[in-house]
Amino acid sequence: MRQSIVAGNWKMFKTAPEALDFARAFSSQLPPLPSHLQVCLFPNFLSLPILTHELASQANLHVGAQNCHAASEGAFTGETSVEMLRAVGATHVLVGHSERREYFHETNEILLEKVKKVISMGLTPIYCCGEGLADRKAGEHYNWVGKQIEEVVCQLSAEEAAQVVVAYEPIWAIGTGETASPEQAQEMHAHIRTVLNSRFGDLANNTSILYGGSVKPGNAPDLFAQTDIDGGLVGGASLKPDDFLQIVQAMLHISQ
Ligand code: PGA
């Protein structure tokens, strides 16, 4: 059985006190999670220590970082290494979110280095991919996303690739209220699995592939019911404990 994951990407929202309020409200209402379902919160770096401390005793509830640098240390002003993340208890790292690719010019080459570094430190990378609206309209979306997988995940060894979680987030659906239909998402998830299968064989069946892009309590059940959708990477709706809880419950219901 593949691992199901519901992840909340808080982006540049919530101060540390606000993050703590969320963690308390959320964890007090969270039902016990089975081992095949992980929930992961991705706060700002500054809230990582406070959240890992607050949630340390909660089984299957993890805290991760939204970004990292590929080097262990050095003269990289403003950057954060995976060693530093691990030292405060982070267990996952988002790599290659479309906002990092667009605003911070992160290329597949840079992202491959980051993914390798995260794995080498024993943390789990959630590698994000997804096409823009122009590529979808031009019918190039399978090629585009296939290339993002081939140039990063397919460059890893099988041992490394076994540690990777993929998140498919069509850029046109992020923060827009426009969601890929469950069928559109399923088709792309199946395509990603096919690309992984052609490089790694059966291992592709064990790779968790999350959907992201305007996941809400209302659409989560239909999205999560798709064969190749193993959970969600949730932005806006992860900022409110009640909404995020409902999304977790949708996954819990389906994965039971
Ligand atoms: P959204 O963001 O749910 O607000 O669309 C998803 C993401 O960017 O990870």
Side-chain angles (χ1 to χ4, degrees):
M1 190 185 216
R2 284 195 291 272
Q3 183 75 51
S4 303
I5 302 171
V6 178
N9 173 15
W10 288 356
K11 310 191 180 187
M12 200 171 74
F13 292 97
K14 293 194 190 295
T15 61
E18 288 166 350
L20 185 58
D21 284 348
F22 178 107
R24 288 185 173 150
F26 179 73
S27 62
S28 67
Q29 294 176 71
L30 189 67
L33 298 171
S35 58
H36 62 265
L37 172 56
Q38 293 182 354
V39 173
C40 196
L41 298 172
F42 290 88
N44 171 268
F45 285 130
L46 297 177
S47 301
L48 279 172
I50 207 164
L51 285 201
T52 54
H53 182 260
E54 177 67 21
L55 302 174
S57 61
Q58 296 265 344
N60 304 316
L61 177 53
H62 301 280
V63 183
Q66 297 173 16
N67 182 32
C68 65
H69 195 279
S72 297
E73 60 183 5
F76 300 108
T77 302
E79 290 295 312
T80 305
S81 70
V82 184
E83 280 81 350
M84 293 166 182
L85 296 174
R86 191 168 78 167
V88 295
T91 52
H92 294 65
V93 185
L94 296 183
V95 181
H97 189 280
S98 60
E99 290 150 17
R100 301 286 326 163
R101 292 178 188 262
E102 183 179 353
Y103 305 133
F104 303 96
H105 314 296
E106 296 192 0
T107 60
N108 288 340
E109 202 179 357
I110 292 170
L111 298 172
L112 174 59
E113 293 311 308
K114 292 191 181 195
V115 166
K116 282 187 180 170
K117 177 66 188 182
V118 172
I119 295 167
S120 75
M121 293 300 297
L123 279 71
T124 302
I126 299 188
Y127 173 67
C128 306
C129 58
E131 81 286 358
L133 190 57
D135 286 311
R136 178 157 284 262
K137 283 193 170 156
E140 283 298 314
H141 45 297
Y142 289 121
N143 288 343
W144 180 264
V145 173
K147 192 167 178 283
Q148 289 178 322
I149 297 294
E150 274 161 10
E151 292 188 355
V152 178
V153 188
C154 294
Q155 303 304 313
L156 301 170
S157 68
E159 291 71 27
E160 289 170 323
Q163 307 306 316
V164 174
V165 172
V166 174
Y168 168 59
E169 299 201 305
I171 298 168
W172 46 273
I174 295 178
T176 58
E178 188 169 343
T179 322
S181 68
E183 295 73 27
Q184 284 173 320
Q186 165 57 29
E187 279 169 5
M188 185 59 87
H189 282 228
H191 176 66
I192 291 169
R193 217 177 286 290
T194 303
V195 173
L196 291 174
N197 183 276
S198 60
R199 163 72 176 86
F200 297 111
D202 282 349
L203 190 141
N205 292 328
N206 298 329
T207 304
S208 298
I209 308 178
L210 318 182
Y211 170 79
S214 297
V215 176
K216 307 278 179 234
N219 59 25
D222 285 346
L223 286 163
F224 295 166
Q226 303 301 311
T227 321
D228 287 291
I229 299 185
D230 305 308
L233 179 54
V234 187
S238 72
L239 295 169
K240 295 188 191 137
D242 290 349
D243 284 359
F244 196 49
L245 266 170
Q246 284 182 54
I247 294 170
V248 171
Q249 267 152 355
M251 192 75 242
L252 194 55
H253 186 68
I254 281 156
S255 65
Q256 257 162 6

